[in-house]
Amino acid sequence: MVNSLKTRILLFFFIGFYSQSFGQIERKSLFPIEVKHKFLSTKFIYDRQTIENPLALQIPLLQARDTEVNVEFLTFKKQRKFAQTVSLLTAGFSIYTIFNREKVSDGAYWGTLGGSLLLSGYLNIRSNQHLGKAIKRYNEVVGTNKIGLIFDKSIDNQLITSIGFVHKF
C-alpha cells in the first residue's frame, strides 16, 4: 500500500515535471526584428531573411501575443490602407479630369491633388511611427533576459509581491 502510494506520487511528479503546464502559453521560437534604413528604403531582417514589405512582418508580430504590439501594428495597417484609398481616389479624380477638362477647374484639380498628397504623406509618416513602436515593443517582448516585479491581490485582498526573472537557454 505504501509502495504503491510512493509510486503514484513519483509518477505524478515526473508527469508534472516533464509535461507543460496548461496555464502557460507556448511561444514558438520568435526572433528579434532588425531594421535597416537606407536612402529611400527600409529593410527588415527576421531570422536571417531580408524582408522589404513591412506587411510581411504580420505573422511574427502577432505571434508575440502582446496587446501593445497588436494595437500598434493594426493601427499601422489601418493607416496604410487609408493612405492607399486616398491615393486611389485621387488617381480616379485625375483620370476623370483628363477626360472632362471643361468640367473641373484648375484650382479644384491642383487643390485636390495637393491636399491628397499632404494627407497621404502624413498618414504614411504616422503609420511608419506605429510600425516602429510595434517592432520596438516586439523586440522587448522577445528579448532574452527579463526581470520583473509583480503586484497582485489574493482572495482576501492581501497584497502579494513577487519578483520574476526570465532567461532563455
Side-chain angles (χ1 to χ4, degrees):
M1 177 90 171
V2 174
N3 216 2
S4 68
L5 182 61
K6 287 182 182 178
T7 307
R8 286 182 186 170
I9 291 174
L10 190 61
L11 181 66
F12 284 129
F13 173 74
F14 281 123
I15 289 174
F17 186 72
Y18 284 107
S19 68
Q20 186 179 29
S21 172
F22 291 111
Q24 297 176 350
I25 298 172
E26 179 184 357
R27 290 194 178 162
K28 298 178 182 178
S29 57
L30 298 173
F31 303 98
I33 298 172
E34 185 179 347
V35 181
K36 297 268 184 173
H37 295 285
K38 298 217 174 174
F39 178 61
L40 286 176
S41 68
T42 303
K43 293 186 180 185
F44 306 96
I45 299 172
Y46 177 76
D47 190 23
R48 295 173 292 176
Q49 302 290 326
T50 302
I51 300 171
E52 293 182 6
N53 187 354
L55 293 175
L57 297 172
Q58 179 173 357
I59 293 172
L61 286 174
L62 296 181
Q63 278 183 345
R65 293 187 178 141
D66 185 67
T67 55
E68 188 176 337
V69 173
N70 291 348
V71 166
E72 293 293 339
F73 184 74
L74 294 176
T75 304
F76 158 75
K77 277 182 60 174
K78 184 172 49 174
Q79 287 182 347
R80 179 65 62 100
K81 184 173 267 190
F82 188 63
Q84 289 174 347
T85 304
V86 167
S87 298
L88 183 66
L89 291 174
T90 305
F93 182 71
S94 295
I95 290 171
Y96 174 78
T97 303
I98 289 172
F99 293 118
N100 299 311
R101 290 186 183 187
E102 63 279 349
K103 292 183 181 178
V104 179
S105 68
D106 285 346
Y109 175 75
W110 289 109
T112 303
L113 190 66
S116 67
L117 182 69
L118 287 174
L119 181 61
S120 65
Y122 171 76
L123 288 172
N124 282 327
I125 289 170
R126 290 293 297 159
S127 68
N128 285 333
Q129 288 175 347
H130 284 289
L131 178 65
K133 288 178 186 177
I135 290 174
K136 181 180 175 186
R137 174 66 182 158
Y138 169 83
N139 286 335
E140 289 174 2
V141 169
V142 173
T144 55
N145 294 333
K146 297 177 197 170
I147 297 176
L149 186 63
I150 300 169
F151 296 104
D152 200 6
K153 286 188 176 181
S154 67
I155 296 172
D156 53 351
N157 287 332
Q158 292 182 353
L159 183 64
I160 300 172
T161 306
S162 58
I163 297 174
F165 178 75
V166 176
H167 177 73
K168 284 187 177 180
F169 291 98

